[in-house]
Amino acid sequence: MSEILESYVAGRWSAGTGSGREVRDAVTGETVTRVSSEGLDLGAAVAHARAKGGPALRAMTFHERAAALKAAATAVHEGKDRLYELSARAGCTTRDAAVDIDGGTGTAFVYASLGRKGLPDARVVVEDEFIQLGKEGVFGGRHVLTSPHGISLQINAFNFPVWGMLEKLAPALLAGVPTIVKPATPTAYIAVEAVRMMIDSGALPEGSLQVVAGSIPGLLDELGGQDHIGFTGSADTAAALRGDPAVTRRSAHFNAEADSLNASVLGPDAAPGEPEFDLFVKELVTEMTVKAGQKCTAIRRALVPADRVDAVAEAVSERLAGVTIGAPGAEGVRMGALVGTEQRDDVRDAARRIAAAGTVVHGDLDRVDVVGADAERGAFLSPVLVRVDDADRAEPHEVEAFGPVSSLMGYRDAEHAVELLARGEGSLAGSVVSADADFVDRVVAGAAPWHGRLLVLDRDSAPESTGHGTPMPQLVHGGPGRAGGGQEEGGLRAVHAHLQRSAVQGSPAVLERLGSLGD
Ligand code: NAP
């Protein structure tokens, strides 16, 4: 790997200048690469996407784009061993890397299939039958969806360098919109490698995919009303981007997926020994330990009936005690490292703030036993469960520790549980683990306005459940309020979101011909 990580801009691979930002191995602390976009012509990247990528994609039908997407994702799938190796340097176990890499290619394959089956072999989508607007039926309207003449800029978080990129690339490509990827610096080397696989496959028209490793000064100045900015990351960065004149003045489309304090609720019916009790405990431990808790959808707040806090604390602690932490690939390791020591220190600080509202019932913020690595050089942290006796305290509902940290609280009744869920002020995912139909319905109805997705888990759905933390490409991902207010995925909804919807009015004959527009 070259000293400075290469970017793919305007049809060629080139490295930025200067000393760049150092990216260290999450496990050993050794330098992996340096990231700099200094000296790269970002204006040329936008111009290239507009001049080459856009026209080439718009000349293809939805089915042709779906085939190109499938071929590009296949190249990533075939190169996944290399991506797994790189992911281990970011602290990921095989299970963690699978969520990102196989999750990413799987999402792209679902989109390729939806594009082939759900979109026409044409360049426009026509919605609605003839909507009559006059008495005689000689005048009416329909809606038509066309590809904008813009680009899709995706700005991604560090935790899912492959999935985060492919889940945004897939709908943009299908919509005929070229993409510029700006990966997060700590894991940019993984995203860039996946882009290289797609470029080398030759599946995508030149200009339809570029990647800039490093910061993107001035790039938003090039964007306007035909463009789309898809952001995933912290609420602060989302706020800064949302306030950029590209969005506020020139009306570039802006979609944000930010942090959230997702919660899971254990139903009153689920006493120890009931399948739902075990499902809840298992799900919580999985969410705390997969990707070392660095998942935007992870369970940050566990809400249980007030008289069951002790039993849940005990069962979760017992299970967490069996999780071996250490170097990915080392004997028995089930939880790896956080992405870097800076991130670990941030998580420790946030966890301390939550812990100040309660008691740590499992784990130690300052000490962790690890296998196959040095606990201090690597970005390791033990899973930490904080019991908060006063569920109405602010900290657990306000502070996000983006790591293996969850709080455990008791609720009084369904109304109180809903109230606590809503205290997150907008979450990506929530779950209710219960077989009590009345309780489930009250929580779903009460909590839905604050959630992008709700999982109801019980003994019946458990065998096929995809889990609390896994967004599915067929269903929407994104939540209101604190979660960013955006929406991605949701099957073809995400493709439609990249297309321009226009109402066309005219005679039945004119509207009948809309389907062949662009042929
Ligand atoms: P971050 O610091 O906000 O960074 C996110 C992305 O924004 C990175 O690519 C970053 O680049 C870029 N960025 C920062 N400042 C920018 C600017 N002024 N202009 C353009 N780009 C800029 O967040 P993070 O630390 O990577 O991610 C962790 C957060 O993301 C957590 O809060 C988590 O909850 C959230 N998250 C949400 C989801 C979701 O789907 N909703 C998924 C994953 C993570 P650099 O890295 O180069 O600075």
Side-chain angles (χ1 to χ4, degrees):
M1 197 172 273
S2 71
E3 232 230 72
I4 297 271
L5 184 65
E6 286 189 321
S7 294
Y8 188 69
V9 168
R12 66 187 190 97
W13 288 98
S14 45
T17 55
S19 51
R21 264 166 76 185
E22 184 184 31
V23 177
R24 290 173 178 268
D25 187 301
V27 179
T28 64
E30 290 163 5
T31 305
V32 177
T33 189
R34 306 185 79 88
V35 173
S36 165
S37 61
E38 237 178 275
L40 297 180
D41 189 345
L42 303 183
V46 177
H48 188 64
R50 292 200 199 289
K52 286 251 182 221
L57 286 173
R58 291 196 298 275
M60 296 160 75
T61 66
F62 289 112
H63 288 192
E64 287 165 345
R65 294 173 206 152
L69 171 63
K70 186 174 176 189
T74 301
V76 176
H77 180 71
E78 286 169 353
K80 73 176 186 176
D81 289 349
R82 171 76 184 135
L83 297 173
Y84 271 65
E85 274 168 34
L86 293 177
S87 301
R89 304 205 72 181
C92 294
T93 63
T94 306
R95 173 175 74 154
D96 299 337
V99 177
D100 185 36
I101 299 159
D102 301 72
T105 51
T107 297
F109 289 139
V110 167
Y111 267 97
S113 163
L114 287 171
R116 211 176 48 248
K117 294 183 191 146
L119 292 168
D121 194 16
R123 296 171 187 83
V124 299
V125 176
V126 184
E127 289 184 324
D128 306 312
E129 294 305 315
F130 181 78
I131 301 167
Q132 191 169 328
L133 297 171
K135 265 200 182 134
E136 306 301 328
V138 297
F139 181 69
R142 294 180 85 178
H143 290 98
V144 65
L145 305 183
T146 53
S147 302
H149 288 215
I151 71 153
S152 164
L153 169 66
Q154 47 165 277
I155 302 177
N156 293 329
F158 70 79
N159 55 346
F160 288 111
V162 178
W163 175 82
M165 172 168 66
L166 292 178
E167 59 110 19
K168 290 189 177 81
L169 175 66
L173 254 184
L174 282 178
V177 179
T179 288
I180 297 177
V181 180
K182 186 259 172 283
T185 294
T187 51
Y189 58 96
I190 304 169
V192 166
E193 190 68 19
V195 170
R196 198 180 281 280
M197 290 169 186
M198 290 190 273
I199 298 291
D200 288 351
S201 76
L204 302 174
E206 179 47 48
S208 59
L209 176 61
Q210 302 178 77
V211 62
V212 178
S215 55
I216 49 168
L219 200 153
L220 268 67
D221 297 346
E222 310 283 330
L223 304 187
Q226 293 286 303
D227 303 308
H228 185 279
I229 303 167
F231 171 77
T232 302
S234 65
D236 287 346
T237 312
L241 295 173
R242 189 181 272 120
D244 191 279
V247 180
T248 56
R249 293 203 168 271
R250 299 189 295 280
S251 304
H253 295 263
F254 181 71
N255 191 78
E257 303 288 331
D259 58 1
S260 76
L261 287 155
N262 316 291
S264 184
V265 184
L266 178 70
D269 54 309
E274 293 294 329
E276 283 74 19
F277 184 89
D278 295 336
L279 287 168
F280 180 85
V281 170
K282 195 164 163 239
E283 198 74 15
L284 177 56
V285 170
T286 300
E287 290 298 312
M288 288 177 75
T289 55
V290 172
K291 300 256 343 166
Q294 300 167 111
K295 265 178 22 180
C296 52
T297 50
I299 300 171
R300 306 291 177 208
R301 301 177 294 152
L303 307 176
V304 306
D307 63 0
R308 218 156 300 150
V309 176
D310 289 335
V312 173
E314 201 178 305
V316 172
S317 299
E318 197 182 309
R319 231 184 149 96
L320 285 173
V323 175
T324 305
I325 301 159
E331 181 74 23
V333 166
R334 281 188 44 214
M335 183 175 127
L338 300 180
V339 76
T341 49
E342 253 178 59
Q343 178 66 15
R344 178 192 60 193
D345 295 345
D346 285 354
V347 174
R348 272 187 181 148
D349 286 349
R352 281 203 181 91
R353 289 170 61 200
I354 300 168
T359 337
V360 172
V361 289
H362 180 88
D364 186 332
L365 280 168
D366 299 307
R367 253 200 83 251
V368 55
D369 292 327
V370 303
V371 174
D374 180 315
E376 275 310 302
R377 267 175 189 279
F380 295 99
L381 194 66
S382 100
V384 170
L385 184 67
V386 181
R387 174 185 174 140
V388 180
D389 285 325
D390 178 2
D392 296 315
R393 289 271 308 228
E395 296 88 336
H397 309 292
E398 284 178 4
V399 182
E400 185 200 39
F402 199 63
V405 181
S406 296
S407 57
L408 172 65
M409 290 166 273
Y411 67 82
R412 293 183 294 274
D413 50 27
E415 285 61 42
H416 191 213
V418 167
E419 212 178 282
L420 294 174
L421 283 164
R423 289 280 300 275
E425 296 194 351
S427 298
L428 293 168
S431 51
V432 47
V433 189
S434 172
D436 176 336
D438 179 56
F439 180 80
V440 164
D441 294 350
R442 283 158 69 186
V443 172
V444 169
W450 280 273
H451 288 83
R453 177 169 59 84
L454 284 168
L455 162 74
V456 179
L457 185 59
D458 59 22
R459 64 195 77 182
D460 295 336
S461 63
E464 292 192 346
S465 167
T466 45
H468 171 105
T470 310
M472 299 304 292
Q474 298 88 343
L475 304 177
V476 294
H477 171 61
R482 179 170 181 157
Q487 243 177 28
E488 294 178 336
E489 304 204 281
L492 292 175
R493 288 177 188 85
V495 182
H496 291 175
H498 281 81
L499 295 167
Q500 169 62 37
R501 175 176 285 110
S502 311
V504 180
Q505 294 172 295
S507 69
V510 167
L511 300 182
E512 189 57 40
R513 293 200 302 275
L514 286 179
S516 50
L517 275 189
D519 283 356

